[in-house]
Amino acid sequence: MRGDRTGGATRRLGAAAWWFVAGYGVSAVGTGLCYPFLAIYLSQFRGLSAAAIALLLLVLAGAAVPMSVVGGWLVDRHSPRIVAVAALLTQTVGWLLVALGSGYAAELAAVLVIGVGTGAFLPAVVPIITALSATAEAKVRTMSLRYLLLNLGLGAGAGLGGVLLGSATGYRWMCVANGVSCAVYALIILFRVPLPRSDGDAAQHRERLVRFRPGLNYALLLVAQLLLVTFGLAQMESGVPLVIRTEMSGSTALVGGLYAVATAVVLIGQLPVSRWVERVHKTRALITMGLLWAAAWLLGYTAGALTGGPRVALLAVMMVTFALGECAYSPAFYTLVERIAPKGTLGRSSGAAWAVFQVGNTVGPPIAVFLLGARVPLWLVLAAAAVAAAVLLLIVDRRMHAAHRTALTAR
């Protein structure tokens, strides 16, 4: 298990890795332009009912989940670079179809295409970063930069979209811009992100694909991820602002200010936290993250018993605590996925992880609404889920270290 601490190994990124993460940021700007405003466009400018909008969003998410699994198979069967390019161009087609706005059936087809492209693209990310990273430190840094630029791009795109969204025509042009951003990223990968042939070309698996047997450690890791996403990341986008607005009578200005604090912490803390992740075992980084999130939720629960300035201060500390834990998620989790994945199955391992992520992100908001409607203390449920995830990760950590000691003894 000494692979996490390589000492003198460099974290320097090559030119191809810089192009890959920069393109990710460009694409994220386009995503921020469109995704947050899709439901608003469909309701306000297209006049669709809540049920019709829900069906479109369900098709979008429903297509992405199975395509993450299929995309992972394609990555192992072919080059992750080719899969990524094809998936991005598929997303381009989908957003251009939304821009055409030619009726509900066309919009159903459009979101289906977008979901297929999104789901197929995600499993290629970790294999590409792995192939481009000469050292473990470079891999962690590339994962961190990807997450940093994702947040920067989403924030910039959402801010710009809020200014530009004023009519149906305005949103359709935003969809065109998003489609162009996907196409630009596809071209960047095609012409500026060559992969080392031994890592990027899966020719050794084309004649006979390696059987996918992820094992107990990976299954436990995915269950922990499901808990962390469903009762963690997804709740920051749904349950938390709902609780602050309804149960704490917080203003929209307060909610916006708290999320501005959290975003600032992620942007400022991402790279420093990633340097810490480089030095520790990735399971222990994720355990720390889970415990930080549990502490954050307990701070939220305590804030509910306070009023005025003390409540606001405690909520701000909660957001900072959660954001610091979030900084460890991408560099630690996906590096661990790569480590646990059996040889020749990284695409399918990544695809399964992304599918679980999307399931958690999809079911998290309705779970929050249900719990609040049932008068269940949401903060305590979230804290319990975070602790449960940390326990599962501790089991994985112990199993991995035991296997490592056994391997050393056998030498």
Side-chain angles (χ1 to χ4, degrees):
M1 295 291 288
R2 295 174 62 87
D4 286 339
R5 303 176 182 180
T6 51
T10 179
R11 65 170 63 92
R12 183 177 300 169
L13 275 62
W18 279 111
W19 277 108
F20 182 73
V21 295
Y24 207 103
V26 170
S27 178
V29 173
T31 300
L33 268 176
C34 292
Y35 265 104
F37 307 106
L38 179 59
I40 295 174
Y41 162 74
L42 294 171
S43 174
Q44 185 173 337
F45 300 118
R46 289 279 292 110
L48 298 183
S49 66
I53 295 172
L55 178 59
L56 287 171
L57 298 179
L58 183 62
V59 169
L60 178 61
V65 171
M67 275 309 299
S68 290
V69 178
V70 175
W73 182 87
L74 291 171
V75 166
D76 285 337
R77 191 75 169 83
H78 306 284
S79 165
R81 181 166 164 265
I82 297 304
V83 173
V85 169
L88 286 166
L89 293 178
T90 300
Q91 292 180 60
T92 296
V93 172
W95 285 110
L96 293 180
L97 287 173
V98 174
L100 290 175
S102 56
Y104 190 70
E107 286 160 349
L108 270 174
V111 296
L112 177 63
V113 172
I114 293 168
V116 167
T118 302
F121 171 74
L122 294 172
V125 173
V126 175
I128 289 176
I129 290 177
T130 299
L132 296 175
S133 303
T135 65
E137 286 83 357
K139 190 186 307 175
V140 169
R141 192 180 187 209
T142 306
M143 296 282 190
S144 295
L145 284 170
R146 180 199 71 84
Y147 198 70
L148 175 65
L149 292 176
L150 171 65
N151 281 283
L152 276 173
L154 290 175
L160 185 59
V163 173
L164 297 177
L165 182 66
S167 65
T169 301
Y171 185 78
R172 288 168 184 165
W173 279 111
M174 288 158 60
C175 291
V176 171
N178 189 15
V180 170
S181 75
C182 292
V184 168
Y185 192 20
L187 292 175
I188 288 174
I189 294 175
L190 190 60
F191 294 107
R192 292 293 182 179
V193 188
L195 301 186
R197 189 170 183 83
S198 59
D199 291 315
D201 192 324
Q204 66 269 31
H205 304 310
R206 285 178 182 151
E207 292 185 2
R208 185 176 183 275
L209 199 64
V210 176
R211 188 172 181 180
F212 184 41
R213 295 176 176 174
L216 181 58
N217 285 344
Y218 191 66
L220 292 173
L221 181 63
L222 290 189
V223 175
Q225 182 200 24
L226 183 62
L227 289 171
L228 291 170
V229 176
T230 304
F231 298 98
L233 292 171
Q235 298 308 320
M236 284 300 285
E237 300 174 0
S238 56
V240 171
L242 191 59
V243 170
I244 294 173
R245 281 288 287 142
T246 59
E247 297 193 351
M248 297 185 178
S249 301
S251 66
T252 53
L254 172 61
V255 173
L258 290 172
Y259 277 82
V261 169
T263 301
V265 172
V266 170
L267 296 180
I268 295 170
Q270 185 66 63
L271 293 182
V273 170
S274 75
R275 285 193 285 272
W276 169 74
V277 172
E278 291 173 11
R279 298 192 300 270
V280 301
H281 298 303
K282 306 306 174 277
T283 45
R284 293 173 186 178
L286 290 172
I287 291 169
T288 302
M289 183 193 80
L291 295 178
L292 278 174
W293 285 7
W297 301 136
L298 291 177
L299 287 171
Y301 180 73
T302 305
L306 304 176
T307 59
R311 170 181 284 182
V312 172
L314 209 55
L315 287 174
V317 175
M318 176 194 76
M319 300 299 276
V320 170
T321 304
F322 184 93
L324 286 173
E326 184 182 351
C327 290
Y329 175 74
S330 181
F333 180 80
Y334 292 106
T335 303
L336 191 58
V337 167
E338 184 267 335
R339 167 165 291 180
I340 293 179
K343 183 176 178 60
T345 68
L346 182 54
R348 282 165 287 174
S349 298
S350 300
W354 282 111
V356 169
F357 179 91
Q358 291 171 97
V359 168
N361 222 24
T362 301
V363 304
I367 286 177
V369 172
F370 170 77
L371 291 174
L372 290 173
R375 308 304 298 172
V376 175
L378 181 65
W379 300 115
L380 298 183
V381 173
L382 302 187
V387 171
V391 170
L392 291 175
L393 291 164
L394 179 61
I395 294 172
V396 174
D397 180 77
R398 294 290 177 85
R399 287 175 54 84
M400 291 180 69
H401 279 78
H404 179 67
R405 287 193 296 270
T406 302
L408 289 178
T409 304
R411 288 179 182 177

